[in-house]
Amino acid sequence: MAESSTAKLKSGAATESNLPLSPAPNSTLCEVALPVPLPQTFTYSIPLNMTVEPGMRVVAPFGARRLVGVVVGCGQMPAGLNPKTIRPLQRVLDEIPALTQEFIALSRWVADYYLTPLGEVLPAFLPRAASLRNKTKLVITETGREALGPVRAGKESIVTSAERQMLERIAKRGGLSSGTLRGSEALVEKLRRRGWLAVERSVEDSVGRSPHVEAATERNAAFDKSVFPRWELSPPQQTALTRINDQMDTGDFGVLLLHGVTGSGKTEVYMRAIERALARGRSALMLVPEINLTPAMAGQFAARFGERIAVLHSGLDDRDRERVWQRVREGKSDVLIGTRSAVFAPLARPGLIIVDEEHDGSYKQEEAPRYSGRDVAIVRAKESGATVVLGSATPSVETRYHAETGKYQLLELEGRVQERPLPQTEIIDMRQELAETGKQTFLSRRMVEAISMRLQQHEQVMILMNRRGFSSFVICRSCGKTVECANCSIALTHHKRAARLLCHYCGYARPVPQVCPECQSEHIYFMGEGSEKVEAALGKHFPEARIGRLDRDTARARGSAESILASFHAHELDMLVGTQMIAKGHDIHGVTLVGVISADMGLARPDFRSAERTFQLLTQVSGRAGRGEREGIVVIQTYYPDHYAIKAAAAQDYAQFYKQEQRFRQLMHYPPFAALANVIVKSDSQETVLKLTGRLGRFFESLQEDKQKGRGWRMLGPAAAPIPKLKKAYRYHFLIKAEQRSLLRKVLIAAQDFARREKFPANALIIDVDPQSLF
């Protein structure tokens, strides 16, 4: 577990501490984790009128600010220390602790493993981010009230008409914020100088006192619960379920990998295992990678478990998230479905934790705290004596390796339910298509033919184009410049329907230019394609077809993704075009054709996982075809038909892919054969980032030159990050590989200590342990 540093108590300020986790009611000091990018926690005194316990949220002064933190320890004032030298807490926001000792311990593990300040980890455990607003208002003073009093006979009023009107206005309302008095600033300042008005400062929080709230019900009306029948288990399913149940019955921690091809019935195994957990008096947590998967999943689970389920994901607003959090905390729901943050929900006595599509990169948070929901789930299960089931048709290389080496138990479902065949796959070589037609197109003749045939038979089609927008970038044919984001070193994407150019990283947008911003030429050219352009092209080819699109643009409004998927489920749409959002988890029996455009797009990414991601995406989306009574086909378009990831995905041959990918990882010392971290240096100043990167690079080199400290690890870099400028910050990075995780940790802690000694800016150094993306 992570431990905060200790230091002597300093006069008049919050200080570092490591107080015991004691809930003693007569405690006089408490240790508070605050949401600041500093490695320590802070000590505050507890006023006599306050009752404070570990796990409670409190308002604490921090410099000139007031922050909401979490109490992580309580203790007594050391003998001989004057309590006036320690700043006191200002408020307690909870009547009972918001976090249990178990969750404080888990938060310390997350902080320790991912090298993140505890105060930046704890908000993830709470129903919503706690925040404060420093509020100021003008109030009338006693002197001001006297000035408003009746005027004695023979005396002139010392208050002018305008002054009286202002004072009466403020007095009547009990005070007014300065923002409501614009235009009267001079008058207000005059009254303040005369002592008739004063500024009153207060703090408002957005959390309150954890009120008891009614349960939130997830709306799944769009999904007919009767497409969710209780099937008899196949022999492989029954074998897998028996193994899972046997592990749960031991009451001991264990991890099982359920490796089943798409359509093999993993979800039914999950639900039967949850039934067993509930029968044993334990709760169950199921993690899914994407928000758009939760409604259909919740529909299936609601049909089986009724009001016992709750759904938690980032798409909920603050109020709904708090309602679900409270419902789970109070034990009213003992089956929880959610995205990665649901791993921190206060589910009591979990006996089973399921991580569906365990390979998915979205389980890794890309901002602090940079945790993996899958890996935290395993740690939480270990502390609770729970069983973990990792499910996937395309397990990550690391997970499959752990299963083969005995760290996890391996369960396999090699065929589809009801003996349905896997789809037949065709690979279209787009180089040959260009040679034969003489036209550069993103819809091959075979793709058009296959779509036409399926539409004539009143069957449904899914088309994957894993890039949103209409055109990938805008280029000037005169000067060759592309139109780039103002904040990032990335070309803007053309979104035709919205009539704008958009950055997919920071959200920067600008109108579509009529002339080149660089040379004023009118020769503007739109190149590349995205899901919006594919949708438009298919509409021209098949004007009678009902076509929908599912990507982050169309799913932006709340409930829109569910609505689109519900229409497709109900066969109100003939064709669905989309990004990777359509590739996983959907069980739509009318789909008999899946088409993939630009299948090799991800292979060009400068990332050692690019082949794995390509294989997973193609295999997952292929699995959407032929899940009903009719057989399915898959058409994959690519310029690299001989790449092992594409060939293995077309053959639905995980073993072939794993063998080649494992060999590559071992030769290049990548996970699972090494522990990995991405160390990023960033600054709004290019000159500053270069200086800081150089200093850190020389420090790493000095460690490597030391015969003892330099053994067992290696450094790649420094190099400009794949996107050198992101959200106005210039970025350089180092990849650190180590033979042992303990050694990696030592190197990273040394880097953090160096940055603190050298007084790097607080946010200049980012450490991403077990990175899923090198961007």
Side-chain angles (χ1 to χ4, degrees):
M1 299 298 167
E3 295 182 359
S4 59
S5 302
T6 56
K8 294 181 179 178
L9 299 175
K10 299 177 183 179
S11 175
T15 60
E16 305 177 41
S17 178
N18 192 23
L19 297 172
L21 291 175
S22 166
N26 59 345
S27 298
T28 55
L29 295 180
C30 64
E31 179 185 5
V32 180
L34 296 173
V36 293
L38 297 172
Q40 69 266 28
T41 51
F42 301 87
T43 297
Y44 292 89
S45 63
I46 303 173
L48 292 176
N49 62 343
M50 283 188 190
T51 300
V52 175
E53 296 181 37
M56 287 182 170
R57 290 170 291 181
V58 294
V59 178
F62 188 77
R65 294 180 290 166
R66 296 168 176 83
L67 301 177
V68 171
V70 177
V71 176
V72 293
C74 295
Q76 300 299 319
M77 185 75 69
L81 184 67
N82 185 350
K84 293 183 179 179
T85 63
I86 309 297
R87 298 180 76 179
L89 296 178
Q90 294 187 336
R91 287 177 59 190
V92 178
L93 299 178
D94 296 303
E95 294 178 0
I96 59 174
L99 297 179
T100 63
Q101 304 280 21
E102 173 195 358
F103 281 102
I104 293 175
L106 182 60
S107 70
R108 288 187 183 273
W109 180 88
V110 173
D112 183 66
Y113 186 87
Y114 295 103
L115 298 173
T116 303
L118 182 61
E120 293 189 339
V121 170
L122 282 165
F125 287 75
L126 298 169
R128 52 179 167 158
S131 61
L132 289 178
R133 289 185 300 171
N134 288 309
K135 186 176 180 180
T136 61
K137 66 178 180 179
L138 291 163
V139 296
I140 189 169
T141 64
E142 287 300 319
T143 306
R145 293 184 186 279
E146 291 176 3
L148 278 178
V151 180
R152 294 180 182 179
K155 295 280 186 177
E156 290 187 10
S157 175
I158 60 174
V159 183
T160 67
S161 175
E163 291 172 342
R164 178 175 294 277
Q165 188 177 3
M166 177 63 71
L167 290 171
E168 288 177 345
R169 179 185 175 192
I170 294 175
K172 181 178 180 181
R173 299 196 182 185
L176 289 174
S177 66
S178 57
T180 62
L181 300 173
R182 289 176 182 169
S184 304
E185 289 87 349
L187 176 60
V188 168
E189 179 60 21
K190 178 181 178 183
L191 295 174
R192 195 180 68 81
R193 286 199 307 268
R194 296 182 73 172
W196 293 349
L197 290 181
V199 177
E200 183 179 275
R201 291 178 171 85
S202 62
V203 175
E204 286 188 352
D205 65 89
S206 63
V207 180
R209 293 183 170 268
S210 301
H212 175 81
V213 291
E214 296 181 0
T217 55
E218 185 74 12
R219 295 183 293 274
N220 293 294
F223 295 92
D224 183 357
K225 294 180 182 179
S226 64
V227 306
F228 307 131
R230 188 183 181 94
W231 299 103
E232 182 178 348
L233 294 182
S234 66
Q237 285 176 302
Q238 186 59 59
T239 299
L241 178 62
T242 299
R243 293 270 301 278
I244 296 169
N245 288 345
D246 287 347
Q247 177 62 47
M248 279 195 287
D249 288 344
T250 68
D252 296 329
F253 164 72
V255 182
L256 303 95
L257 168 61
L258 182 59
H259 184 180
V261 299
T262 54
S264 59
K266 293 187 290 294
T267 301
E268 184 61 33
V269 174
Y270 298 155
M271 290 194 287
R272 300 286 181 98
I274 290 173
E275 289 175 338
R276 182 61 161 261
L278 298 179
R280 297 182 68 249
R282 304 289 293 269
S283 60
L285 168 65
M286 179 162 173
L287 299 181
V288 295
E290 295 277 0
I291 291 174
N292 66 294
L293 296 181
T294 53
M297 190 72 74
Q300 288 178 279
F301 279 66
R304 188 70 57 89
F305 301 106
E307 293 185 357
R308 299 183 76 164
I309 74 161
V311 180
L312 187 63
H313 55 73
S314 59
L316 300 177
D317 61 27
D318 286 345
R319 180 169 296 181
D320 283 346
R321 283 182 64 82
E322 185 160 355
R323 286 174 178 167
V324 174
W325 191 86
Q326 290 286 355
R327 181 178 177 84
V328 171
R329 183 189 192 193
E330 294 166 4
K332 294 179 180 179
S333 293
D334 50 10
V335 179
L336 177 63
I337 303 170
T339 49
R340 66 172 177 257
S341 61
V343 74
F344 299 122
L347 195 66
R349 300 189 71 242
L352 177 66
I353 299 180
I354 298 166
V355 184
D356 192 31
E357 311 288 5
E358 66 82 27
H359 64 276
D360 200 283
S362 61
Y363 282 121
K364 185 69 157 61
Q365 179 153 298
E366 297 300 331
E367 297 177 349
R370 291 173 170 79
Y371 69 92
S372 162
R374 177 195 62 194
D375 296 346
V376 174
I378 293 172
V379 174
R380 183 175 181 188
K382 186 175 182 179
E383 297 300 315
S384 304
T387 294
V388 180
V389 177
L390 307 177
S392 178
T394 56
S396 67
V397 172
E398 295 94 322
T399 297
R400 180 71 191 208
Y401 178 79
H402 291 325
E404 293 196 340
T405 55
K407 186 175 181 179
Y408 303 159
Q409 299 180 50
L410 177 61
L411 312 175
E412 294 189 277
L413 301 176
E414 296 181 347
R416 283 184 160 183
V417 295
Q418 300 181 335
E419 299 183 346
R420 291 173 181 152
L422 289 167
Q424 297 297 312
T425 303
E426 303 175 32
I427 297 179
I428 307 300
D429 187 343
M430 294 302 285
R431 299 171 302 180
Q432 184 177 343
E433 182 79 9
L434 175 61
E436 292 178 358
T437 65
K439 293 189 295 185
Q440 189 80 36
T441 179
F442 57 85
L443 286 176
S444 66
R445 294 164 295 173
R446 175 60 183 134
M447 183 76 78
V448 173
E449 176 191 25
I451 294 173
S452 180
M453 182 181 300
R454 297 293 157 163
L455 293 178
Q456 290 173 13
Q457 296 172 358
H458 303 289
E459 297 167 6
Q460 289 176 291
V461 177
M462 295 178 82
I463 301 293
L464 173 72
M465 175 62 194
N466 199 29
R467 182 194 290 132
R468 60 190 177 106
F470 194 85
S471 302
S472 307
F473 59 95
V474 180
I475 190 169
C476 174
R477 288 184 287 182
S478 293
C479 68
K481 295 285 187 179
T482 58
V483 183
E484 289 196 344
C485 174
N487 306 319
C488 312
S489 53
I490 197 78
L492 295 174
T493 301
H494 176 215
H495 288 252
K496 188 174 183 179
R497 187 172 298 178
R500 61 179 181 169
L501 303 182
L502 179 66
C503 176
H504 291 170
Y505 290 89
C506 74
Y508 171 81
R510 59 161 295 169
V512 180
Q514 301 301 311
V515 297
C516 173
E518 192 73 21
C519 70
Q520 308 305 309
S521 167
E522 296 181 356
H523 299 291
I524 298 292
Y525 192 53
F526 297 86
M527 296 190 68
E529 57 275 337
S531 53
E532 185 182 7
K533 190 171 187 177
V534 171
E535 177 194 23
L538 290 170
K540 291 180 180 179
H541 274 284
F542 308 102
E544 302 301 319
R546 299 166 297 176
I547 303 175
R549 175 163 55 93
L550 182 59
D551 54 27
R552 296 206 181 279
D553 296 322
T554 61
R556 196 174 303 277
R558 188 177 182 185
S560 56
E562 294 95 317
S563 178
I564 293 167
L565 287 169
S567 296
F568 199 49
H569 268 276
H571 212 147
E572 295 169 359
L573 295 172
D574 303 306
M575 203 180 317
L576 184 63
V577 179
T579 56
Q580 61 180 346
M581 295 176 73
I582 70 171
K584 48 204 168 190
H586 308 300
D587 186 26
I588 303 171
H589 288 197
V591 175
T592 56
L593 169 64
V594 167
V596 181
I597 296 172
S598 300
D600 41 58
M601 182 189 305
L603 293 175
R605 294 171 67 94
D607 193 320
F608 74 96
R609 298 185 196 273
S610 60
E612 180 182 32
R613 288 204 182 94
T614 298
F615 170 78
Q616 290 166 341
L617 181 61
L618 296 181
T619 302
Q620 292 284 337
V621 76
S622 297
R624 302 313 110 203
R627 298 172 76 95
E629 298 300 322
R630 300 182 182 182
E631 293 187 15
I633 67 167
V634 180
V635 178
I636 296 176
Q637 296 182 172
T638 177
Y639 284 94
Y640 299 96
D642 295 323
H643 194 283
Y644 70 93
I646 292 176
K647 291 173 69 175
Q652 294 274 319
D653 191 341
Y654 179 87
Q656 175 190 340
F657 167 77
Y658 177 74
K659 182 179 180 180
Q660 292 189 249
E661 184 69 8
Q662 184 186 35
R663 185 182 303 119
F664 158 70
R665 300 279 185 94
Q666 193 164 19
L667 287 171
M668 300 302 293
H669 301 282
Y670 281 116
F673 303 101
L676 183 70
N678 192 20
V679 179
I680 302 170
V681 182
K682 69 170 188 174
S683 172
D684 291 344
S685 163
Q686 191 169 25
E687 181 181 1
T688 299
V689 77
L690 286 170
K691 289 181 179 179
L692 296 178
T693 301
R695 287 158 63 187
L696 183 60
R698 288 189 290 274
F699 171 74
F700 280 136
E701 289 171 356
S702 70
L703 287 182
Q704 288 186 313
E705 290 168 1
D706 187 307
K707 291 184 178 180
Q708 291 297 325
K709 296 179 180 179
R711 288 179 181 173
W713 66 280
R714 62 183 65 188
M715 172 189 74
L716 300 180
I723 302 178
K725 184 182 178 186
L726 185 67
K727 299 179 181 178
K728 296 185 177 181
Y730 296 93
R731 309 181 315 141
Y732 284 76
H733 69 155
F734 303 81
L735 276 185
I736 308 297
K737 302 177 183 179
E739 296 174 1
Q740 302 293 330
R741 186 162 295 280
S742 59
L743 180 56
L744 176 70
R745 174 178 167 76
K746 288 180 181 178
V747 173
L748 298 177
I749 290 177
Q752 284 186 324
D753 291 342
F754 172 80
R756 282 192 287 271
R757 288 197 308 271
E758 295 294 310
K759 295 183 169 45
F760 278 35
N763 295 311
L765 186 68
I766 296 172
I767 293 181
D768 189 2
V769 178
D770 302 335
Q772 286 295 308
S773 170
L774 302 183
F775 279 70

